[in-house]
Amino acid sequence: MFDSAVDNLLAEAGMTESDHLQKTLLTLLTVLMDICECLELCLGHAINKEEERLSSLPHAVSSSVLHVLYCSYTHCSTSDKIYGEQLALVAAPLSTLFKKTHSLQQAFTSLLERPAFCDCSSVNVIEDLTAVCHRLLEISKVVSGMDVRVFASTLKILSNLAVQHAEVLKENLDVAAILSFLCEEIVNTCYHIATLLLQNSQEMSEQSVLLLRQHLKLAVFLLKIVVHFCEIFTNCLSRAAAWLLTLLLSILRFQHEFTLTPDAFIDEIQHHLLVGLKPLLCLLLSDKEFVAQVASVDLVSDSTSVCLLCVTILSLLPASDAKVRDVWMAINDLHGASTSILEILFSSVKHCYMSLVLPVCLHGVTRPGKPPVSVSLYEYTCTNLCGFIACIPSRQFPVLELCLLKHTLSWDAYTACLAIDAWCFVGRYGDSHLCLQHCKLLMELCSTSLPSLTVDPANAALVDFRSYRAVPYINLQQALFRLMKFTTAEQQLQLFEEMAVETHLGLWSCMPVPYLHPDIVHRLKMAALSWLSQTVTALKCVDMVPAQHILNLGEALTVISCLYRQRCGFDELQVLPLVLTVWDLLASSIVGHLFERHILALLIDCSSYLLPVMDNCSLKEVVGLVLTLMPGSADSIKLAAASFLSAFGSKVVSPSAEQMKILAHVAQLFRMLLTDENPMIHQRALEAFSVFAEKTNHEMVVSLCLQEDSTLQQTVVNYLSKISCKSSLSERNFILSHQVETVRGWQSLCVNNLLHPNTSLLGKAAESFRFTEMGHTDIKSAAAVEELIGAVRSSVDQLRGLKACLTDMSRRQLQEAYDKIGALL
């Protein structure tokens, strides 16, 4: 009868408007309302029956009532499409129909709550209950956008019924469909909340506040149901794992995307939504399908939320079973690739650049008796990562160590910094033997990755020093510098015997000199002076200088510069004659073509430390040569010149015939650097000028720098007054073009150092890793091969992005590498 009345309504609604049509529609709607009232009376009569008679009530009544509820709600929800322009004629009866339908639902709910009606003693009753739950889910989907109260009450019925009879329903109930629907509704509700916050970022109206709190209350209610379902049906979560992951990521967005919004509701939202994250995650940690979904998540589109999810997982794993920890440390994603939760964390950090740069503030670790402190995303991630590392067993250290090494070699600054910080945590809080082994590994890697002597066919003596500044090599140096501080004096001497400074001078130049044993520092100084003296002698005595001498010169100058920078310098009177001889050779052009910009920058840097002991004649020669190098020189040389001028502020040039010439050269150097088109050079020049003007006794240099240039005067005044200025479009274009040139310049180095397995740092690391019996195992050859193959794949992916920049030489090198790989197969 109900279906017949609905069909007649649909047929009549398509007619043209008339008085007869209005009466017909009202009559049919009245029929629907009468049917709902009749069913409600029947249910009321059944509820008042005695318990023993209620148990014999046919369960077919449930299907009839649910069918009426579904059809009635559906008719109300689609009324705008059914009635069109005639909707105004039936608005009041439709509202009444909706109310009566809801009243029928409440009566049916009261019947379901009677224990006798839900006596699950037969298979038929279990099937009826399953059908009721599935029908309630369909009704929930219909009313989700109509009325919040009806929607919440329907889901409450479904939840209570499913949880109450979980033991008998778990085999037949489609838990995945229920969880997927709930997760989708929470995600949509979170989207509405975010939209309201963005639309009312300045000030919220009273209506917006009420609507936001309504959405928030609904989201919290649905989240509680999801957690309850996951707690009861723990073995039925795999099919809903994808939606559960989407739900977690959506909630986590509120932890970082709105931290900059000055809104009073942010704390309330985070408090109510985030409180359900950890209970839900605790239930999902052991689900292998969820683990695979996390491993396969898209890191680019939602990297910060993935990072926060990984951090939350790391905070929960120490309290989990050992089997659960093992699963997360050796994950197989949906494509069959092997990874770990640490690998996913580092990969997500790599894509979190904006969140790491912007002041995204999160709640840090709260200390007893101290107020809560907000920390940056990097500190939050690093703190929780180190807390997890402190709890993992030693048998999982190979996974940790390989992960840290791999990402220490990363070209991404934040990823490498996080890996180095975590590595230092291991070295600081691990045993001394472990720290010693790590230092040995890093020293071996650094020594094997020192710049090879690349010879230019057009000039057989030209040395390529780019590997000195290659980012992975610098990261290794930084990690070694920090880990060496945690070694004992005996361990340092042991390392010194294995890696003698006489043959590994460049390696020891990156050590923390104040923390080294005094004997090591003394031998380091002597070796640097010896190398520099031998190289200078060789440069003076031969016409064609071997490239090895140029490399030795670079290493010696690097050590001298590092020792001065760490306030462990030499006797200046020992170093000065050698440095001046190098400047003389450069001035005479005997070996001028051999000086690569790296050595020139080091030479200028060393000269800045020797300024106090230079006489005017030497000073005039050095300043004049630095000025000669400026036009068209590399950025590294200009930056070294800026540091040189900053140190010049403390130099007092004694009155002599050379004084005015020296000061004029200094003023000209300042003008060239202050007007440089590179914003970085310009900024460093302003800093150097500020220091120089504050310390110098030669005030005339300041006026010489700025005379006849009002624009430069205003720029300097603004900087000294701390008045910010916006960068121009030309400056931004310069930076972008400079980055493109840098990518092209490093292209061949990527081919040489990353593609070929025999020069792969990661491949060498896999061969070098050796662990003691204290929880560590030797890396198998198969693992080493796997790492090498991974390095090749990664390099190919990088080269694919640089395809447009490949030169003919690079293509030939790639072809040679391809032929070698083919020969192996």
Side-chain angles (χ1 to χ4, degrees):
M1 183 183 298
F2 191 90
D3 290 342
S4 177
V6 171
D7 292 338
N8 291 334
L9 267 173
L10 296 176
E12 292 292 338
M15 301 295 180
T16 57
E17 184 176 352
S18 64
D19 293 340
H20 173 71
L21 175 63
Q22 183 178 1
K23 292 179 181 179
T24 304
L25 293 176
L26 293 175
T27 302
L28 291 172
L29 287 172
T30 304
V31 171
L32 296 182
M33 288 184 278
D34 290 342
I35 294 174
C36 290
E37 288 181 355
C38 181
L39 285 173
E40 185 177 353
L41 289 173
C42 294
L43 292 176
H45 178 72
I47 292 172
N48 294 328
K49 289 289 184 179
E50 298 176 358
E51 295 292 333
E52 60 273 9
R53 298 186 62 185
L54 181 61
S55 61
S56 62
L57 186 70
H59 281 77
V61 68
S62 62
S63 61
S64 300
V65 172
L66 289 171
H67 179 75
V68 170
L69 292 175
Y70 178 79
C71 292
S72 180
Y73 282 135
T74 304
H75 186 79
C76 293
S77 66
T78 58
S79 57
D80 56 338
K81 297 179 181 179
I82 295 174
Y83 297 101
E85 296 179 355
Q86 303 167 14
L87 181 62
L89 302 176
V90 293
L94 280 174
S95 178
T96 305
L97 174 63
F98 183 83
K99 293 177 181 178
K100 290 186 177 295
T101 305
H102 181 52
S103 179
L104 174 61
Q105 178 179 326
Q106 289 177 322
F108 182 65
T109 302
S110 300
L111 181 65
L112 291 177
E113 292 174 349
R114 299 294 294 274
F117 184 77
C118 297
D119 183 14
C120 303
S121 57
S122 66
V123 176
N124 292 334
V125 174
I126 296 174
E127 292 177 352
D128 288 340
L129 283 176
T130 304
V132 169
C133 291
H134 289 162
R135 199 61 169 173
L136 286 173
L137 176 62
E138 294 176 2
I139 294 173
S140 300
K141 294 179 180 179
V142 173
V143 301
S144 62
M146 295 177 61
D147 187 277
V148 175
R149 289 177 57 195
V150 176
F151 177 57
S153 62
T154 306
L155 286 176
K156 187 176 181 180
I157 302 169
L158 171 60
S159 174
N160 291 340
L161 194 63
V163 172
Q164 182 180 356
H165 305 285
E167 289 297 324
V168 295
L169 293 178
K170 61 183 178 181
E171 299 296 334
N172 300 317
L173 187 63
D174 191 355
V175 177
I178 298 173
L179 286 175
S180 299
F181 170 70
L182 291 171
C183 292
E184 185 178 4
E185 286 298 315
I186 298 174
V187 170
N188 293 334
T189 306
C190 290
Y191 173 78
H192 294 315
I193 294 173
T195 304
L196 283 171
L197 290 173
L198 292 174
Q199 291 176 349
N200 303 273
S201 58
Q202 300 299 325
E203 184 178 356
M204 273 197 174
S205 62
E206 185 176 352
Q207 183 179 0
S208 298
V209 171
L210 292 175
L211 187 59
L212 187 145
R213 284 181 172 158
Q214 185 184 69
H215 284 312
L216 179 59
K217 188 176 181 180
L218 176 62
V220 173
F221 171 72
L222 296 178
L223 184 59
K224 289 180 179 178
I225 296 179
V226 170
V227 174
H228 203 181
F229 259 86
C230 292
E231 187 177 2
I232 300 300
F233 300 97
T234 53
N235 299 324
C236 308
L237 305 180
S238 296
R239 287 178 54 201
W243 264 113
L244 288 168
L245 176 59
T246 304
L247 166 64
L248 292 170
L249 295 177
S250 298
I251 295 176
L252 282 168
R253 290 192 189 102
F254 286 99
Q255 194 174 0
H256 65 90
E257 288 189 359
F258 296 95
T259 55
L260 298 180
T261 304
D263 198 297
F265 296 98
I266 296 300
D267 291 338
E268 182 180 354
I269 292 171
Q270 291 183 349
H271 174 73
H272 285 91
L273 282 179
L274 295 177
V275 72
L277 277 181
K278 288 190 175 182
L280 180 57
L281 264 177
C282 287
L283 300 170
L284 294 172
L285 286 180
S286 59
D287 188 87
K288 293 185 177 180
E289 180 63 25
F290 177 77
V291 176
Q293 289 288 344
V294 173
S296 307
V297 70
D298 183 11
L299 297 175
V300 178
S301 61
D302 204 4
S303 55
T304 306
S305 297
V306 176
C307 176
L308 293 174
L309 176 64
C310 292
V311 169
T312 308
I313 292 173
L314 290 180
S315 67
L316 297 175
L317 284 179
S320 303
D321 296 334
K323 292 182 179 180
V324 175
R325 292 197 298 270
D326 292 341
V327 169
W328 283 98
M329 293 297 284
I331 305 173
N332 290 323
D333 63 14
L334 297 178
H335 307 291
S338 298
T339 184
S340 67
I341 183 62
L342 297 173
E343 196 69 40
I344 302 170
L345 174 64
F346 279 101
S347 300
S348 63
V349 170
K350 184 178 180 180
H351 296 89
C352 291
Y353 176 76
M354 291 306 298
S355 298
L356 290 165
V357 173
L358 293 174
V360 174
C361 297
L362 305 167
H363 294 299
V365 178
T366 304
R367 299 178 181 178
K370 300 289 184 180
V373 179
S374 296
V375 297
S376 65
L377 175 62
Y378 180 86
E379 183 178 343
Y380 180 80
T381 304
C382 186
T383 302
N384 286 275
L385 173 61
C386 292
F388 171 74
I389 291 174
C391 299
I392 65 174
S394 56
R395 58 188 171 81
Q396 292 177 342
F397 259 59
V399 177
L400 168 66
E401 290 166 322
L402 281 176
C403 182
L404 293 180
L405 176 60
K406 175 182 177 181
H407 293 286
T408 298
L409 299 174
S410 173
W411 288 66
D412 178 71
Y414 284 104
T415 306
C417 188
L418 180 63
I420 294 171
D421 284 343
W423 205 334
C424 291
F425 176 83
V426 174
R428 174 64 179 84
Y429 291 97
D431 57 55
S432 59
H433 179 72
L434 179 63
C435 185
L436 176 63
Q437 296 302 318
H438 286 174
C439 288
K440 284 184 178 180
L441 169 66
L442 289 173
M443 294 180 76
E444 291 176 6
L445 291 177
C446 287
S447 61
T448 55
S449 60
L450 281 171
S452 58
L453 301 181
T454 305
V455 179
D456 189 345
N459 188 347
L462 186 62
V463 183
D464 184 0
F465 283 92
R466 285 179 298 178
S467 295
Y468 266 125
R469 298 183 304 279
V471 174
Y473 179 71
I474 295 174
N475 294 342
L476 288 175
Q477 283 186 325
Q478 183 182 2
L480 182 57
F481 181 93
R482 296 176 61 181
L483 281 174
M484 188 61 72
K485 298 178 182 179
F486 306 133
T487 56
T488 63
E490 292 76 12
Q491 291 173 340
Q492 290 178 5
L493 291 173
Q494 179 183 344
L495 292 172
F496 192 75
E497 293 300 325
E498 296 180 8
M499 295 282 186
V501 68
E502 289 76 13
T503 55
H504 296 86
L505 183 62
L507 174 63
W508 285 95
S509 66
C510 64
M511 300 297 182
V513 178
Y515 294 88
L516 294 181
H517 193 279
D519 292 344
I520 298 177
V521 177
H522 176 71
R523 289 181 60 180
L524 182 59
K525 291 180 180 181
M526 294 301 102
L529 286 175
S530 176
W531 277 46
L532 183 58
S533 178
Q534 294 174 14
T535 304
V536 169
T537 303
L539 290 173
K540 291 194 301 184
C541 297
V542 295
D543 295 330
M544 286 298 296
V545 181
Q548 184 63 45
H549 289 339
I550 304 302
L551 184 60
N552 291 346
L553 177 62
E555 290 186 353
L557 291 174
T558 300
V559 174
I560 292 171
S561 178
C562 289
L563 289 172
Y564 274 119
R565 193 177 301 113
Q566 299 184 58
R567 304 182 184 277
C568 297
F570 305 81
D571 181 1
E572 287 83 354
L573 296 179
Q574 289 181 298
V575 182
L576 180 61
L578 298 174
V579 172
L580 291 178
T581 304
V582 178
W583 279 114
D584 290 338
L585 292 172
L586 177 61
S588 62
S589 299
I590 294 177
V591 292
H593 61 285
L594 295 174
F595 283 82
E596 204 267 343
R597 57 188 181 185
H598 174 71
I599 287 186
L600 290 173
L602 285 173
L603 187 58
I604 296 172
D605 188 55
C606 289
S607 300
S608 65
Y609 296 109
L610 300 173
L611 282 173
V613 295
M614 282 191 189
D615 57 29
N616 285 4
C617 292
S618 302
L619 198 57
K620 176 187 174 182
E621 179 185 357
V622 172
V623 175
L625 287 171
V626 173
L627 182 62
T628 306
L629 292 171
M630 283 303 101
S633 62
D635 293 343
S636 57
I637 298 177
K638 294 179 180 179
L639 291 173
S643 300
F644 178 84
L645 291 175
S646 178
F648 202 94
S650 302
K651 175 67 177 177
V652 178
V653 183
S654 58
S656 65
E658 297 87 3
Q659 184 191 45
M660 295 305 297
K661 192 68 173 178
I662 294 172
L663 298 180
H665 283 339
V666 171
Q668 190 174 354
L669 266 174
F670 265 123
R671 278 199 301 272
M672 295 178 69
L673 295 177
L674 288 170
T675 56
D676 195 274
E677 62 178 355
N678 188 332
M680 181 182 294
I681 304 297
H682 177 71
Q683 177 65 25
R684 292 291 292 274
L686 285 172
E687 295 173 4
F689 185 80
S690 174
V691 174
F692 178 87
E694 181 181 352
K695 294 182 178 181
T696 187
N697 292 329
H698 305 286
E699 291 82 1
M700 63 172 293
V701 177
V702 178
S703 59
L704 286 174
C705 293
L706 306 178
Q707 66 182 0
E708 299 178 359
D709 193 337
S710 58
T711 303
L712 185 57
Q713 292 177 12
Q714 188 61 44
T715 302
V716 173
V717 170
N718 289 341
Y719 175 79
L720 295 176
S721 304
K722 298 182 180 180
I723 299 175
S724 60
C725 59
K726 294 183 179 179
S727 59
S728 63
L729 181 61
S730 60
E731 289 178 341
R732 293 194 291 271
N733 290 338
F734 176 87
I735 294 173
L736 292 175
S737 62
H738 187 71
Q739 289 175 342
V740 172
E741 292 175 3
T742 303
V743 170
R744 289 176 177 172
W746 284 103
Q747 170 208 338
S748 60
L749 186 63
C750 290
V751 174
N752 291 332
N753 287 355
L754 296 179
L755 182 62
H756 297 292
N758 61 328
T759 58
S760 169
L761 292 180
L762 194 58
K764 292 173 182 175
E767 297 173 359
S768 303
F769 259 123
R770 296 292 182 267
F771 300 104
T772 63
E773 196 63 25
M774 297 176 62
H776 307 304
T777 58
D778 292 339
I779 293 182
K780 305 296 184 181
S781 58
V785 172
E786 183 179 349
E787 291 296 334
L788 290 174
I789 294 173
V792 172
R793 287 176 176 171
S794 176
S795 301
V796 171
D797 291 339
Q798 295 181 40
L799 288 169
R800 187 178 292 114
L802 300 172
K803 185 177 180 181
C805 306
L806 290 177
T807 62
D808 293 338
M809 180 179 292
S810 301
R811 295 179 189 278
R812 287 196 299 272
Q813 291 172 333
L814 280 173
Q815 186 62 47
E816 292 174 3
Y818 178 82
D819 294 339
K820 290 181 180 179
I821 294 174
L824 289 174
L825 302 178

